[in-house]
Amino acid sequence: MRYDPARPAGRLLLTPEDKEAPARALRLRRLGLGESPDPVLDSFAHRLAECTGAPYAMVNFVGEQGQFFAGLHSPATGPVAKSDGSRPRVGRSMARDHGFCPHVVVRRKALVLEDVSDYPRFAGNPVVDEFGIRSYLGAPLIDTTGMVLGTVCVADVEPRAWGKAGLETIKSTAADLAARLERRADDGFPL
């Protein structure tokens, strides 16, 4: 973990140290993942959002410097208005210290945050302020080499009791997608 003293006063941000990031970036390049939007992964994220009832769903590949949402489902406009009246939109890329997926990648296991405000370590995350994220559910995409490629996740602007069913859904979805991504890369089969 590291503390970033350059953050504004009152903002403690702990980002996990990711020693596998260089090897992951190489593996993602070899698999042809994490550098461009993928319509199939967008459809996958849309189905995941429908399945969970969450406004945000992502297939996220975490590289050395940042994160890339190759699959993304988000509301047309963000649910939280900024001070200037505009509404934020989730883009395809995000800094490594934003969001909760880098924690899932380093932990190598699912993360359930029913209300991020209950966890000081996560409540100060920039996505809480910028997008109003209040709950998160994510699982790692682990390939057959044991490498964590990224995550499959959903997020909501309201606290959510994801429950055991939500946890099992996200874990099984991630395992299935990881296998399908490798098959696609190896054999050229679509997802």
Side-chain angles (χ1 to χ4, degrees), residues 10-169:
R11 165 96 53 184
L12 175 67
L13 182 62
L14 297 174
T15 303
E17 185 178 354
D18 187 356
K19 293 179 181 178
E20 292 184 352
R24 179 181 316 103
L26 180 61
R27 179 79 172 135
L28 288 171
R29 280 192 297 277
R30 286 183 179 154
L31 293 171
L33 299 170
E35 295 180 356
S36 60
D38 187 322
V40 174
L41 294 177
D42 283 343
S43 294
F44 179 89
H46 179 76
R47 289 189 307 274
L48 184 60
E50 285 182 335
C51 173
T52 61
Y56 296 97
M58 289 136 303
V59 177
N60 184 11
F61 298 111
V62 180
E64 289 184 85
Q65 302 303 317
Q67 308 172 64
F68 186 78
F69 302 120
L72 175 64
H73 172 83
S74 66
T77 57
V80 176
K82 292 185 175 184
S83 59
D84 65 1
S86 66
R87 295 194 173 273
R89 284 192 48 84
V90 173
R92 291 285 179 167
S93 60
M94 187 177 285
R96 264 196 96 260
D97 65 351
H98 283 51
F100 312 108
C101 292
H103 296 271
V104 172
V105 168
V106 171
R107 289 166 36 112
R108 303 180 63 83
K109 62 182 182 177
L111 177 62
V112 179
L113 300 172
E114 293 183 346
D115 187 343
V116 297
S117 64
D118 290 342
Y119 304 90
R121 175 181 186 184
F122 297 115
N125 198 288
V127 298
V128 175
D129 293 336
E130 293 174 28
F131 300 101
I133 299 301
R134 290 288 305 275
S135 59
Y136 171 90
L137 177 64
L141 290 166
I142 303 175
D143 71 10
T144 55
T145 70
M147 177 68 64
V148 178
L149 303 174
T151 66
V152 170
C153 64
V154 293
D156 202 337
V157 295
E158 300 292 331
R160 292 277 300 261
W162 300 104
K164 186 175 181 177
L167 178 60
E168 291 305 316
T169 295

